[in-house]
Amino acid sequence: MKPDTRLQHTDAERRQHSTVNPAVERGSSLLIKTRAELYGNGTVYGRMGLGVQRELETALCSLEAGNHAQLTSNGLQACALAVAAVARAGDHVLISDNLYGPNQRFCTRRLKAMGITATRFPPTLPIEQLERLITQNTRAIVMESPGSLSFDIMDTPAIAALARSRALLTILDNTWGAGVFHQPLELGVDLVVQSLTKYVIGHADAMGGVVVTRSEKLARKLFTCANDWGIGLAPDEAYLALRGLRTLLNRLRQHEASGYQIADWLSRRDEVAFLLHPGRPDHPQHALWQRDFTGANGLFGAVLNPVREAELDRFLEALKLFRMGFSWGGFESLLIPCDEQLRRLPGAPILQRNGPLLRLHVGLEAAEDLIADLDQAFQVMADTG
Ligand SMILES: Cc1ncc(COP(=O)(O)O)c(C=O)c1O
């Protein structure tokens, strides 16, 4: 069945004589009949998740073409869990320098405290050079494609093949592809991570995360690590994620179409130096994107020609529909200046540019209205120039 159909039919046992959606069971204690069950291997406590979480896990496995899913309370926790579940003290991991900032901090600062070292590498580093960074104790390669600020596309199948040949694991943050436009497990990746907070939940009203794998052995490691740390997703959040999944594909198609329309309009503006949109032929890794992705969402970057800080502030403050705020993937359009974020990140990706980097999330508003909003804000910027 096509994904559009699969995401509407997530109840494995075909609910009858009940609501269409699963019941949300809130609670900690589960009432159990026998001593054998109480101390058995089944679900015995609310933290492990109940019916709605199980149904969400199944749906996310279907989305990401995996067999096992571990839910987490947000995307950062999923990123952290994936690495922590497979690496141990004395190990080394390679991390691409386009990783979501807090994930980079986890992989350097927190892993260091656990006796695990990390080395950054540029996401487009030639494969022979990446191979030279592998040491005797390297355990995993951690990736994100495209980076959510730099939008570089990695050669995922080549890196996964290299990792396999050296008995390493690969982990990829697939939040941008959302399991819809990119399926890293199909490309040979071992563990795929998503922040459900973004496109899956899609309404900016909850947070969640997931790690998906095909390997039973890795699933056991994930489950053990999640259990040791008490990691999971609360039932109401799981319900909202399941509800978001029903319309994920429809929403993404509109984010994609409006994203292209606005990127195209921006590319013709004098204020814009260049765009960072993997779906456009002018993107440096467009060929890789065409090979490994089936679409683009509403998140992309725009580098402006040099402007004074005061002019940039006037532009940002004049916007009415694009509002400033972190995150993306919701129904609402957002726009943030990213320079400060890149400055704060040690080893941030190097982007050759003279002007400021903006990140746009094109929401579900009409593209014409969003263009009019950008247009009037550029005019305000020029008036004060
Ligand atoms: C690419 C990427 N991965 C992970 C995360 C973390 O997700 P969460 O906000 O759910 O912790 C984010 C958040 O912005 C992100 O952009």
Side-chain angles (χ1 to χ4, degrees), residues 72-79 98-103 144 146-149 173-176 193-198 206-209 299 326-328 341 359:
T72 63
S73 63
N74 56 59
L76 177 59
Q77 202 175 52
C79 296
N98 61 350
L99 289 189
Y100 172 60
N103 188 18
E144 185 175 317
S148 65
L149 290 180
D173 183 337
N174 194 32
T175 305
W176 193 91
V193 171
Q194 256 202 67
S195 162
L196 303 177
T197 311
K198 308 294 184 283
M207 302 186 83
L299 190 79
F326 290 112
S327 201
W328 44 280
Q341 218 179 123
R359 186 180 74 181

Side-chain angles (χ1 to χ4, degrees), residues 83 92-100 103-104 107-108 117-135 138-145 147 150 152-160 162-163 168-173 189 288 345-350:
V83 189
H92 166 248
V93 293
L94 287 166
I95 63 168
S96 59
D97 70 17
N98 61 350
L99 289 189
Y100 172 60
N103 188 18
Q104 283 199 45
C107 287
T108 48
T117 52
T119 305
R120 289 189 178 84
F121 67 94
T124 55
L125 190 70
I127 204 85
E128 321 74 60
Q129 291 182 38
L130 179 61
E131 185 162 20
R132 274 184 239 132
L133 298 179
I134 298 172
T135 59
T138 306
R139 176 81 183 125
I141 305 179
V142 188
M143 307 181 261
E144 185 175 317
S145 184
S150 51
D152 24 34
I153 301 283
M154 303 184 70
D155 191 344
T156 300
I159 297 174
L162 166 68
L168 312 180
L169 295 169
T170 41
I171 300 168
L172 193 144
D173 183 337
V189 167
L288 288 182
L345 194 62
I350 297 162

Side-chain angles (χ1 to χ4, degrees), residues 360-374:
L360 292 87
H361 177 251
V362 174
L364 298 177
E365 303 92 337
E368 295 75 11
D369 291 334
L370 294 174
I371 288 174
D373 191 34
L374 291 166

Side-chain angles (χ1 to χ4, degrees), residues 57-356:
E57 287 161 4
T58 308
L60 291 169
C61 283
S62 160
L63 184 71
E64 287 284 5
N67 298 326
H68 310 273
Q70 174 63 52
L71 297 172
T72 63
S73 63
N74 56 59
L76 177 59
Q77 202 175 52
C79 296
L81 174 67
V83 189
V86 299
R88 56 173 86 132
D91 282 350
H92 166 248
V93 293
L94 287 166
I95 63 168
S96 59
D97 70 17
N98 61 350
L99 289 189
Y100 172 60
N103 188 18
Q104 283 199 45
R105 283 190 209 106
F106 175 82
C107 287
T108 48
R109 195 162 60 195
R110 199 52 41 207
L111 286 185
K112 191 171 170 201
M114 293 161 63
I116 300 159
T117 52
T119 305
R120 289 189 178 84
F121 67 94
T124 55
L125 190 70
I127 204 85
E128 321 74 60
Q129 291 182 38
L130 179 61
E131 185 162 20
R132 274 184 239 132
L133 298 179
I134 298 172
T135 59
Q136 237 182 352
N137 57 342
T138 306
R139 176 81 183 125
I141 305 179
V142 188
M143 307 181 261
E144 185 175 317
S145 184
S148 65
L149 290 180
S150 51
F151 297 95
D152 24 34
I153 301 283
M154 303 184 70
D155 191 344
T156 300
I159 297 174
L162 166 68
R164 290 258 150 113
S165 74
R166 303 289 299 262
L168 312 180
L169 295 169
T170 41
I171 300 168
L172 193 144
D173 183 337
N174 194 32
T175 305
W176 193 91
V180 174
F181 295 139
H182 189 215
Q183 293 200 309
L185 297 179
E186 293 280 353
L187 302 177
V189 167
D190 297 294
L191 293 159
V192 66
V193 171
Q194 256 202 67
S195 162
L196 303 177
T197 311
K198 308 294 184 283
Y199 283 114
V200 169
I201 287 174
H203 294 73
D205 54 1
M207 302 186 83
V210 71
V211 189
V212 184
T213 184
R214 288 181 172 177
S215 150
E216 207 157 303
K217 190 170 153 206
L218 291 177
R220 270 199 304 277
K221 283 179 191 268
L222 284 173
F223 176 76
T224 307
C225 190
N227 215 24
D228 288 349
W229 271 339
I231 287 175
L233 184 63
D236 288 290
E237 272 63 18
Y239 182 87
L240 289 172
L242 198 54
R243 182 157 83 164
L245 275 173
R246 314 290 188 204
T247 55
L248 176 67
L249 287 126
N250 314 58
R251 286 184 284 109
L252 273 173
R253 288 183 195 115
Q254 186 171 334
H255 286 293
E256 175 179 49
S258 300
Y260 275 121
Q261 200 176 329
I262 290 168
D264 188 47
W265 181 83
L266 284 169
S267 73
R268 287 182 268 112
R269 294 290 304 203
D270 290 341
E271 296 88 347
V272 176
F274 60 93
L275 295 172
L276 300 172
H277 188 306
R280 286 173 54 87
D282 53 14
H283 186 275
Q285 294 94 40
H286 180 62
L288 288 182
W289 176 85
Q290 275 189 310
R291 188 192 66 189
D292 296 340
F293 289 69
T294 56
N297 59 30
L299 190 79
F300 63 91
V303 174
L304 298 187
N305 284 314
V307 283
R308 287 197 294 273
E309 299 238 328
E311 288 173 304
L312 179 64
D313 284 340
R314 290 286 303 200
F315 169 75
L316 295 170
E317 287 163 32
L319 288 166
K320 293 185 174 63
L321 297 179
F322 277 100
R323 291 189 280 178
M324 239 192 304
F326 290 112
S327 201
W328 44 280
F331 59 87
E332 76 289 11
S333 288
L334 296 169
L335 186 152
I336 52 166
C338 303
D339 294 59
E340 181 73 25
Q341 218 179 123
L342 289 170
R343 258 196 301 277
R344 286 184 192 183
L345 194 62
I350 297 162
L351 285 168
Q352 300 295 341
R353 67 203 159 91
N354 297 318

